[in-house]
Amino acid sequence: MIDSKTLKIPIDALGESEGVVAQEVVSKKGVVILPAGVDISLFEASMGMLVKKMRENGVEFVKVNAPQQLSDDDIEDIIAKVYSDEGAIISKDKARDVVKHVDIVFNSIRDEDEIRPEMVNAMSNMGRDLTEDLLRNPSVAFSLGKVQEADEYTFVHSFNVAVLTGFLANRIYPGDREYLQTIVIGGLMHDLGKSKVPIDILNKPAPLTTDEFTEMKRHPNIGVSLALKAGVQDKDIIAVISGHHEKWSGMGYPNKKRGLDIPESARIAAVADVFDALTAKRVYKNPMSSRNAISMILKDAGVHFDTRVAREMLVSIGLYPPGSIVSLSDGRICIVVSGNGKDLVRPVIMLKEPKKKDRDGSPVFIDLKNERDLCIDKYLGHGDKRELGI
Ligand SMILES: [Fe+2]
């Protein structure tokens, strides 16, 4: 447990401080100037007047319970536990194997200029295996599946998109194993055509020029040709490869399809694709928090994205996406590990038990849906900055 810490804040510094008044401040006549238990940010507008009043009454300091920020070590420690093989639904080893295989397929196409059916068969088997993981634990699979690794972006991105696409599809069509398998395999293969994009464009450590972007925009069609050549026949897999850059408004590529003309599997993959791209760490950009990425996707719902899929993303991940660090109404600080259906403000959280004499505190999972006396008090930030070392 990480308790809040009581600080004595000089009255002139109150405007720049954060926290809750720990002890009420009263005037010489006993009139309350600052009540206890109230967040000092609420007094922002009247702070000048309040400070003046406190000075007149000889008050120099205010005791404030400042929420203690987690140190980087605390965050790493919590995240390491959330992503540990012990609790992970998709293990790091499996994620690593999938990423490695996507890497092998891409490089083989690039080097030998051919795609063999056994390569896509292996990808399909991996997709089926990931689907079983998603079906076994649909609520936390997404939060535990996401992997970040800047150097192997395309391969890691394929893995993340496969997991997130499957996760969203399972929310829309719960338990539909066959559909899930095709959409997860589609996610793994969605950027197959990038194996034919010149490597200096693909790995350019900066945004692309117009010409480079034109070249990049060929990848969905190239991907479809490669998949067909390797014997892929499923229409949903082909639709994901072909249509994941189409936009609801008709302004996407390569076919400028619009609205419901874009196959649903591609509309789901489009949300997963952009979400992973926004939250990824690249050489030229820091990762965006999941919360901000969802908010951007919602803003573009009905223009870029299918509103239903974008809403599903919000509902399933919630207002506090996995990885959010939040403080609870009882002052404890915890990390959100998964959303909770339509109850956007009551996700499943994880906190650490207090350290005992001779052992580290172990993680405790609490479903806030079942804890009506406990709620999230404040969003403190996100823990997406980590490297997971795969
Ligand atoms: Fe793509």
Side-chain angles (χ1 to χ4, degrees):
M1 193 197 300
I2 297 161
D3 295 318
S4 57
K5 195 169 149 191
T6 304
L7 302 171
K8 271 173 80 181
I9 311 270
I11 54 170
D12 288 326
L14 273 178
E16 296 91 58
S17 304
E18 279 189 338
V20 171
V21 178
Q23 196 176 50
E24 69 179 7
V25 178
V26 289
S27 71
K28 286 174 185 161
K29 289 183 181 164
V31 177
V32 176
I33 303 175
L34 274 182
V38 180
D39 198 305
I40 51 175
S41 63
L42 291 174
F43 301 110
E44 206 181 334
S46 52
M47 192 54 87
M49 187 262 287
L50 289 170
V51 167
K52 189 168 167 253
K53 205 175 267 182
M54 285 189 272
R55 191 171 292 121
E56 285 166 5
N57 282 277
V59 178
E60 290 176 20
F61 298 97
V62 175
K63 286 188 178 171
V64 171
N65 281 335
Q68 192 183 335
Q69 292 294 326
L70 291 181
S71 70
D72 284 352
D73 282 350
D74 284 330
I75 293 177
E76 286 308 313
D77 192 31
I78 292 173
I79 285 167
K81 288 214 165 68
V82 174
Y83 284 84
S84 70
D85 266 353
E86 223 177 292
I89 302 308
I90 296 171
S91 73
K92 273 201 274 186
D93 280 349
K94 189 180 288 182
R96 192 183 294 120
D97 282 352
V98 175
V99 171
K100 204 182 283 171
H101 186 72
V102 179
D103 180 351
I104 290 169
V105 173
F106 270 64
N107 283 317
S108 164
I109 300 171
R110 195 178 289 284
D111 298 342
E112 297 163 30
D113 200 24
E114 79 166 322
I115 180 164
R116 294 188 298 276
E118 61 266 29
M119 291 178 191
V120 291
N121 287 344
M123 248 183 187
S124 301
N125 289 337
M126 288 177 165
R128 280 186 206 102
D129 192 29
L130 289 177
T131 302
E132 293 309 309
D133 292 334
L134 284 163
L135 285 168
R136 250 196 307 279
N137 200 329
S139 62
V140 292
F142 162 66
S143 62
L144 301 177
K146 189 169 164 58
V147 158
Q148 292 188 336
E149 177 63 55
D151 297 341
E152 296 176 315
Y153 175 70
T154 306
F155 318 126
V156 172
H157 173 67
S158 300
F159 170 79
N160 286 337
V161 169
V163 173
L164 183 50
T165 303
F167 170 82
L168 286 171
N170 197 30
R171 300 274 318 176
I172 299 170
Y173 300 108
D176 187 339
R177 176 173 272 107
E178 208 179 319
Y179 182 60
L180 245 68
Q181 283 175 349
T182 55
I183 204 158
V184 171
I185 296 167
L188 282 178
M189 297 184 184
H190 80 286
D191 270 344
L192 206 57
K194 282 190 179 169
S195 58
K196 293 282 196 184
V197 172
I199 205 109
D200 51 331
I201 295 181
L202 194 62
N203 291 337
K204 188 179 173 191
L208 301 179
T209 64
T210 310
D211 285 351
E212 289 165 342
F213 191 48
T214 304
E215 180 68 29
M216 183 67 110
K217 285 202 284 195
R218 295 173 57 229
H219 80 268
N221 284 339
I222 297 174
V224 171
S225 313
L226 287 165
L228 291 174
K229 208 167 150 193
V232 175
Q233 287 174 342
D234 189 285
K235 66 172 178 27
D236 280 314
I237 299 179
I238 298 294
V240 170
I241 303 174
S242 166
H244 67 277
H245 288 291
E246 299 290 359
K247 293 184 179 177
W248 186 264
S249 60
M251 300 302 285
Y253 66 88
N255 297 316
K256 291 198 182 312
K257 283 193 178 179
R258 68 166 67 216
L260 296 174
D261 285 346
I262 307 166
E264 188 177 33
S265 48
R267 282 181 265 135
I268 297 173
V271 170
D273 183 42
V274 170
F275 179 82
D276 188 62
L278 291 173
T279 54
K281 182 182 170 188
R282 303 299 305 273
V283 181
Y284 58 92
K285 76 164 187 74
N286 282 323
M288 182 184 280
S289 71
S290 308
R291 191 180 162 96
N292 288 345
I294 290 175
S295 135
M296 276 193 75
I297 286 170
L298 282 173
K299 211 168 71 203
D300 272 351
V303 180
H304 183 154
F305 306 107
D306 178 348
T307 305
R308 185 182 171 207
V309 181
R311 278 210 192 116
E312 199 55 56
M313 182 86 189
L314 171 70
V315 169
S316 54
I317 294 178
L319 289 173
Y320 303 101
S324 299
I325 311 276
V326 294
S327 60
L328 299 178
S329 47
D330 64 2
R332 288 181 292 178
I333 292 174
C334 59
I335 185 163
V336 175
V337 293
S338 70
N340 223 339
K342 290 198 162 52
D343 202 341
L344 304 185
V345 294
R346 296 194 159 273
V348 178
I349 51 137
M350 191 199 75
L351 41 82
K352 283 200 295 180
E353 275 180 336
K355 284 186 181 176
K356 298 272 163 52
K357 250 188 227 156
D358 53 348
R359 63 183 173 88
D360 275 353
S362 51
V364 179
F365 292 87
I366 298 177
D367 187 340
L368 287 179
K369 191 162 51 90
N370 305 325
E371 301 285 333
R372 286 289 156 184
D373 293 338
L374 204 56
C375 62
I376 290 180
D377 179 44
K378 206 169 176 190
Y379 173 77
L380 300 175
H382 69 101
D384 284 352
K385 298 170 214 138
R386 72 274 171 178
E387 294 289 331
L388 292 176
I390 79 154

Coordinates of all heavy atoms in Angstrom, one line a residue, residues 81-126:
K81 N 4.9 -7.2 -12.4 CA 4.0 -8.2 -11.8 C 2.8 -8.5 -12.7 O 2.4 -9.6 -13.0 CB 3.5 -7.8 -10.4 CG 4.7 -7.9 -9.4 CD 4.1 -8.3 -8.1 CE 5.2 -8.8 -7.1 NZ 6.1 -7.7 -6.7
V82 N 2.2 -7.4 -13.2 CA 1.0 -7.5 -14.1 C 1.4 -8.3 -15.4 O 0.6 -9.1 -15.8 CB 0.5 -6.1 -14.5 CG1 -0.6 -6.3 -15.6 CG2 0.0 -5.4 -13.3
Y83 N 2.6 -8.1 -15.9 CA 3.0 -8.7 -17.1 C 3.8 -10.0 -16.9 O 4.4 -10.5 -17.8 CB 3.8 -7.7 -18.0 CG 3.0 -6.7 -18.6 CD1 2.6 -5.6 -18.0 CD2 2.5 -6.9 -19.9 CE1 1.8 -4.6 -18.6 CE2 1.7 -6.0 -20.5 CZ 1.3 -4.8 -19.9 OH 0.5 -3.9 -20.4
S84 N 3.9 -10.4 -15.6 CA 4.7 -11.6 -15.4 C 4.1 -12.8 -16.0 O 2.9 -12.9 -16.2 CB 4.8 -11.8 -13.9 OG 3.6 -12.3 -13.4
D85 N 4.9 -13.8 -16.3 CA 4.4 -15.0 -16.9 C 3.4 -15.7 -16.1 O 2.4 -16.3 -16.5 CB 5.6 -16.0 -17.2 CG 6.1 -15.8 -18.6 OD1 5.4 -15.0 -19.4 OD2 7.1 -16.4 -19.0
E86 N 3.5 -15.6 -14.8 CA 2.6 -16.2 -13.8 C 1.2 -15.7 -14.1 O 0.2 -16.5 -14.1 CB 3.0 -15.5 -12.4 CG 3.1 -16.4 -11.3 CD 3.5 -15.4 -10.2 OE1 4.7 -15.0 -10.2 OE2 2.7 -15.1 -9.3
G87 N 1.0 -14.4 -14.2 CA -0.4 -13.9 -14.4 C -0.8 -13.7 -15.8 O -1.9 -13.5 -16.1
A88 N 0.2 -13.7 -16.7 CA -0.1 -13.4 -18.1 C -1.0 -14.4 -18.8 O -0.8 -15.6 -18.6 CB 1.2 -13.2 -18.9
I89 N -1.9 -13.9 -19.6 CA -2.8 -14.8 -20.3 C -2.0 -15.2 -21.6 O -2.1 -16.4 -22.1 CB -4.1 -14.2 -20.7 CG1 -4.8 -13.7 -19.4 CG2 -5.0 -15.1 -21.4 CD1 -4.9 -14.8 -18.3
I90 N -1.4 -14.2 -22.2 CA -0.5 -14.6 -23.3 C 0.9 -14.4 -22.8 O 1.3 -13.3 -22.5 CB -0.8 -13.7 -24.5 CG1 -2.2 -13.9 -25.0 CG2 0.2 -13.9 -25.7 CD1 -2.7 -13.0 -26.0
S91 N 1.6 -15.5 -22.7 CA 3.0 -15.4 -22.1 C 3.9 -14.7 -22.9 O 3.8 -14.6 -24.2 CB 3.5 -16.8 -21.8 OG 3.9 -17.4 -23.0
K92 N 5.0 -14.2 -22.3 CA 6.0 -13.4 -23.0 C 6.7 -14.3 -24.0 O 7.0 -13.9 -25.1 CB 7.0 -12.9 -22.0 CG 6.6 -11.5 -21.4 CD 7.8 -10.8 -20.9 CE 8.1 -11.1 -19.5 NZ 9.1 -10.4 -18.8
D93 N 6.8 -15.6 -23.6 CA 7.5 -16.5 -24.6 C 6.7 -16.7 -25.8 O 7.2 -16.7 -26.9 CB 7.7 -17.9 -23.9 CG 8.9 -17.9 -23.0 OD1 9.6 -16.9 -23.0 OD2 9.0 -18.9 -22.2
K94 N 5.4 -16.8 -25.6 CA 4.5 -17.0 -26.8 C 4.5 -15.7 -27.7 O 4.7 -15.8 -28.9 CB 3.1 -17.3 -26.4 CG 2.2 -17.7 -27.6 CD 0.8 -18.1 -27.1 CE 0.7 -19.4 -26.4 NZ -0.7 -19.7 -26.0
A95 N 4.4 -14.6 -27.0 CA 4.5 -13.3 -27.8 C 5.8 -13.2 -28.5 O 5.8 -12.9 -29.7 CB 4.3 -12.2 -26.8
R96 N 6.8 -13.6 -27.9 CA 8.2 -13.5 -28.5 C 8.2 -14.5 -29.8 O 8.7 -14.1 -30.8 CB 9.2 -13.9 -27.5 CG 10.6 -13.6 -28.0 CD 11.7 -14.1 -27.0 NE 11.6 -13.3 -25.7 CZ 11.4 -13.9 -24.6 NH1 11.2 -15.2 -24.4 NH2 11.4 -13.1 -23.5
D97 N 7.6 -15.7 -29.6 CA 7.6 -16.6 -30.7 C 6.9 -16.1 -31.9 O 7.3 -16.2 -33.1 CB 7.0 -18.0 -30.3 CG 7.9 -18.8 -29.5 OD1 9.1 -18.4 -29.4 OD2 7.5 -19.8 -28.9
V98 N 5.7 -15.5 -31.6 CA 4.9 -15.0 -32.7 C 5.6 -13.8 -33.4 O 5.7 -13.8 -34.6 CB 3.5 -14.5 -32.2 CG1 2.7 -13.8 -33.3 CG2 2.7 -15.6 -31.5
V99 N 6.1 -12.9 -32.6 CA 6.9 -11.8 -33.2 C 8.0 -12.3 -34.1 O 8.2 -11.8 -35.2 CB 7.4 -10.8 -32.1 CG1 8.3 -9.7 -32.7 CG2 6.2 -10.2 -31.4
K100 N 8.7 -13.3 -33.6 CA 9.9 -13.8 -34.3 C 9.4 -14.4 -35.6 O 10.1 -14.3 -36.7 CB 10.6 -14.9 -33.4 CG 12.0 -15.1 -33.8 CD 12.7 -16.2 -33.0 CE 13.1 -15.7 -31.6 NZ 13.5 -16.8 -30.7
H101 N 8.3 -15.1 -35.6 CA 7.8 -15.8 -36.8 C 7.4 -14.7 -37.8 O 7.7 -14.9 -39.0 CB 6.7 -16.7 -36.5 CG 6.3 -17.5 -37.7 ND1 7.0 -18.5 -38.3 CD2 5.2 -17.4 -38.6 CE1 6.5 -19.0 -39.4 NE2 5.3 -18.3 -39.6
V102 N 6.7 -13.7 -37.4 CA 6.3 -12.6 -38.3 C 7.6 -12.0 -39.0 O 7.6 -11.8 -40.2 CB 5.5 -11.5 -37.6 CG1 5.1 -10.4 -38.6 CG2 4.2 -12.1 -37.0
D103 N 8.6 -11.9 -38.2 CA 9.9 -11.3 -38.6 C 10.4 -12.2 -39.7 O 10.8 -11.8 -40.8 CB 10.8 -11.3 -37.4 CG 12.2 -10.8 -37.7 OD1 12.5 -10.6 -38.9 OD2 13.0 -10.5 -36.8
I104 N 10.4 -13.6 -39.5 CA 11.0 -14.5 -40.4 C 10.2 -14.5 -41.8 O 10.8 -14.4 -42.8 CB 10.9 -16.0 -39.9 CG1 11.9 -16.1 -38.7 CG2 11.2 -17.0 -40.9 CD1 11.8 -17.4 -37.9
V105 N 8.9 -14.4 -41.7 CA 8.0 -14.4 -42.9 C 8.4 -13.1 -43.7 O 8.6 -13.2 -44.9 CB 6.5 -14.5 -42.5 CG1 5.7 -14.2 -43.8 CG2 6.2 -15.8 -41.9
F106 N 8.4 -12.0 -43.0 CA 8.6 -10.7 -43.7 C 10.0 -10.7 -44.4 O 10.1 -10.3 -45.5 CB 8.6 -9.5 -42.7 CG 7.2 -8.9 -42.5 CD1 6.2 -9.7 -42.0 CD2 7.0 -7.6 -42.9 CE1 4.9 -9.1 -41.9 CE2 5.7 -7.0 -42.7 CZ 4.7 -7.8 -42.2
N107 N 11.0 -11.2 -43.7 CA 12.3 -11.2 -44.2 C 12.5 -12.2 -45.3 O 13.3 -11.9 -46.3 CB 13.4 -11.4 -43.1 CG 13.6 -10.1 -42.3 OD1 13.6 -9.0 -42.9 ND2 13.6 -10.2 -41.0
S108 N 11.8 -13.3 -45.2 CA 11.9 -14.3 -46.3 C 11.3 -13.7 -47.6 O 11.8 -13.9 -48.7 CB 11.2 -15.5 -45.8 OG 10.9 -16.3 -46.9
I109 N 10.1 -13.0 -47.4 CA 9.5 -12.4 -48.6 C 10.5 -11.3 -49.2 O 10.7 -11.3 -50.4 CB 8.2 -11.7 -48.3 CG1 7.2 -12.8 -47.8 CG2 7.6 -11.0 -49.5 CD1 5.9 -12.2 -47.2
R110 N 11.1 -10.6 -48.3 CA 12.0 -9.5 -48.8 C 13.2 -10.0 -49.5 O 13.6 -9.6 -50.5 CB 12.4 -8.7 -47.5 CG 13.0 -7.3 -47.9 CD 13.3 -6.6 -46.6 NE 12.1 -6.1 -45.9 CZ 11.4 -5.0 -46.3 NH1 11.7 -4.4 -47.3 NH2 10.4 -4.6 -45.6
D111 N 13.8 -11.1 -48.9 CA 15.1 -11.6 -49.4 C 14.9 -12.6 -50.6 O 15.7 -12.5 -51.5 CB 15.8 -12.4 -48.3 CG 16.2 -11.4 -47.1 OD1 16.2 -10.2 -47.4 OD2 16.5 -11.9 -46.0
E112 N 13.9 -13.4 -50.4 CA 13.8 -14.5 -51.5 C 12.7 -14.2 -52.5 O 12.4 -14.9 -53.4 CB 13.5 -15.8 -50.8 CG 14.6 -16.3 -49.9 CD 14.1 -17.4 -49.0 OE1 13.2 -18.2 -49.4 OE2 14.7 -17.5 -47.9
D113 N 11.9 -13.1 -52.2 CA 10.9 -12.7 -53.1 C 9.8 -13.8 -53.3 O 9.3 -14.0 -54.4 CB 11.5 -12.3 -54.5 CG 10.5 -11.4 -55.2 OD1 9.6 -10.8 -54.6 OD2 10.5 -11.4 -56.5
E114 N 9.6 -14.5 -52.3 CA 8.6 -15.5 -52.4 C 7.9 -15.8 -51.1 O 8.5 -15.5 -50.0 CB 9.1 -16.8 -53.0 CG 9.8 -17.7 -52.0 CD 10.0 -19.1 -52.5 OE1 9.1 -19.7 -53.2 OE2 11.1 -19.7 -52.3
I115 N 6.7 -16.2 -51.1 CA 6.0 -16.6 -49.9 C 5.5 -18.0 -50.1 O 4.9 -18.3 -51.1 CB 4.8 -15.6 -49.6 CG1 4.1 -16.0 -48.3 CG2 3.8 -15.4 -50.8 CD1 3.2 -14.9 -47.8
R116 N 5.8 -18.8 -49.1 CA 5.4 -20.2 -49.2 C 4.2 -20.5 -48.3 O 4.1 -20.0 -47.2 CB 6.6 -21.1 -48.8 CG 7.8 -21.0 -49.8 CD 8.9 -22.0 -49.4 NE 9.4 -21.8 -48.1 CZ 10.4 -21.0 -47.8 NH1 10.9 -20.2 -48.8 NH2 10.9 -20.9 -46.6
P117 N 3.4 -21.4 -48.8 CA 2.2 -21.7 -48.0 C 2.5 -22.1 -46.6 O 1.8 -21.8 -45.6 CB 1.5 -22.9 -48.8 CG 2.0 -22.7 -50.2 CD 3.4 -22.1 -50.1
E118 N 3.6 -22.8 -46.4 CA 3.9 -23.3 -45.0 C 4.1 -22.1 -44.0 O 3.9 -22.1 -42.8 CB 5.1 -24.3 -44.9 CG 6.4 -23.8 -45.4 CD 6.6 -24.2 -46.9 OE1 5.6 -24.3 -47.6 OE2 7.8 -24.4 -47.3
M119 N 4.6 -21.0 -44.6 CA 4.8 -19.8 -43.8 C 3.5 -19.3 -43.3 O 3.4 -18.9 -42.1 CB 5.5 -18.7 -44.6 CG 6.9 -18.9 -45.0 SD 7.3 -17.5 -46.0 CE 8.9 -18.0 -46.7
V120 N 2.5 -19.2 -44.1 CA 1.2 -18.6 -43.7 C 0.5 -19.7 -42.8 O -0.3 -19.3 -42.0 CB 0.3 -18.1 -44.8 CG1 0.9 -16.8 -45.4 CG2 0.0 -19.1 -45.8
N121 N 0.8 -21.0 -43.1 CA 0.1 -22.0 -42.3 C 0.6 -21.9 -40.8 O -0.2 -22.0 -39.9 CB 0.5 -23.4 -42.8 CG -0.3 -23.7 -44.1 OD1 -1.2 -23.0 -44.4 ND2 0.2 -24.7 -44.8
A122 N 1.9 -21.6 -40.7 CA 2.4 -21.5 -39.3 C 1.8 -20.2 -38.7 O 1.4 -20.3 -37.5 CB 4.0 -21.4 -39.4
M123 N 1.7 -19.2 -39.4 CA 1.0 -17.9 -38.9 C -0.4 -18.3 -38.5 O -0.9 -17.8 -37.4 CB 1.0 -16.9 -40.0 CG 1.9 -15.7 -39.7 SD 1.7 -14.5 -41.0 CE 2.9 -13.4 -40.6
S124 N -1.1 -19.0 -39.3 CA -2.5 -19.4 -39.0 C -2.6 -20.2 -37.7 O -3.5 -20.0 -36.9 CB -3.1 -20.2 -40.1 OG -3.1 -19.4 -41.3
N125 N -1.6 -21.1 -37.5 CA -1.7 -21.9 -36.3 C -1.4 -21.0 -35.1 O -2.0 -21.2 -34.0 CB -0.6 -23.0 -36.4 CG -1.0 -24.1 -37.4 OD1 -2.2 -24.3 -37.6 ND2 0.0 -24.8 -37.9
M126 N -0.5 -20.1 -35.2 CA -0.3 -19.2 -34.1 C -1.5 -18.3 -33.8 O -1.8 -18.1 -32.7 CB 0.9 -18.3 -34.4 CG 2.2 -19.0 -34.4 SD 3.6 -18.0 -34.9 CE 4.9 -19.0 -34.3

